[in-house]
Amino acid sequence: MTTAIDLDKLDLAALLCSRVCHDVISPVGAIVNGLEVLEDEDDPAMKSFALDLIAKSARQASARLQFARLAFGAAGSAGAQIDTGDAEKVARGFLEDDRTTLTWQLPRVLAPKNKVKLLLNLLVVATSTIPRGGRIGVEENGAGEEGGFRLTTQGSHSRIPPHLVALLAGHPAEEGAALDAHAIQPHYTGLLARATGYGIELAHAGDTVTILVARG
């Protein structure tokens, strides 16, 4: 029988903070590097390159922080609702680049906070199924407040990553293995699903992975 993950609140908070820091440190580091180039270089071409790097990295850092605020943060008081239009905006800023596109086919409504957080975290899970980029689509699975989501990804070398199903279900990647900042995100997604009463099913066929979210 597989052991359930036993993680106290302090460890959960620490690992989620590590995850956010991991996502933000790269663009922040690039900003620092760009500033150092501006200080040390007299070549106009290099200065222009540094300014472009700083601007691009600042936008990326902002997008990642805005996404983390909704996906991992409190985003209002307990029981608050979140506009799915705001969720779409931060999701596009976080996910879309020259390798990955997002097709969003959800109506704009005010939805329960944890349901929106579940969706945003599922989008992060979805990116792990297309390691070389591709297309991510999200649509309703059933209408109304009780409805869930259907996420589909298509891309080269699509897959369901090892241990993803176990982590979503609240089990460790390997018996006795400790969670790290990488594994905490799918585990947290599973916590959100169980807290909101949803089940998650994954299927892989050809170059397509389907993530079906429905009332459990």
Side-chain angles (χ1 to χ4, degrees), residues 39-109:
E39 290 178 354
D40 299 337
E41 285 285 345
D42 294 324
D43 181 7
M46 287 299 296
K47 285 183 176 291
S48 177
F49 170 80
L51 286 171
D52 287 343
L53 175 64
I54 291 168
K56 178 181 178 181
S57 300
R59 288 192 296 269
Q60 188 178 62
S62 176
R64 293 184 178 187
L65 285 170
Q66 289 181 58
F67 182 88
R69 177 178 173 270
L70 286 189
F72 305 122
S77 59
Q81 293 185 315
I82 296 176
D83 188 330
T84 56
D86 294 337
E88 178 185 1
K89 181 179 178 180
V90 300
R92 290 193 182 281
F94 182 76
L95 296 175
E96 290 192 314
D97 54 26
D98 56 358
R99 299 192 316 153
T100 305
T101 59
L102 173 64
T103 301
W104 184 282
Q105 294 179 298
L106 296 175
R108 182 164 191 171
V109 297

Side-chain angles (χ1 to χ4, degrees), residues 164-178:
L164 175 59
V165 173
L167 289 167
L168 288 170
H171 304 304
E174 297 176 359
E175 193 67 28

Side-chain angles (χ1 to χ4, degrees), residues 3 11-12 18 23 31 37 58 66 75 97 110 122 131-132 134 138 144 147 158 183 192 199 203 207 209 215:
T3 304
D11 286 339
L12 175 63
S18 293
D23 286 345
I31 292 170
V37 171
Q66 289 181 58
D97 54 26
L110 287 175
L122 284 167
R132 299 191 180 185
V138 56
S158 65
L192 286 168
D207 66 350
V209 174
R215 283 293 179 187

Side-chain angles (χ1 to χ4, degrees), residues 105-128:
Q105 294 179 298
L106 296 175
R108 182 164 191 171
V109 297
L110 287 175
K113 176 180 68 176
N114 282 344
K115 184 177 179 180
V116 177
K117 289 161 69 77
L118 171 61
L119 172 59
L120 292 175
N121 277 271
L122 284 167
L123 287 169
V124 179
V125 169
T127 64
S128 71

Side-chain angles (χ1 to χ4, degrees), residues 3-7 163 167 170-180 183:
T3 304
I5 293 173
D6 183 16
L7 192 67
H163 315 306
L167 289 167
H171 304 304
E174 297 176 359
E175 193 67 28
L179 285 179
D180 57 19

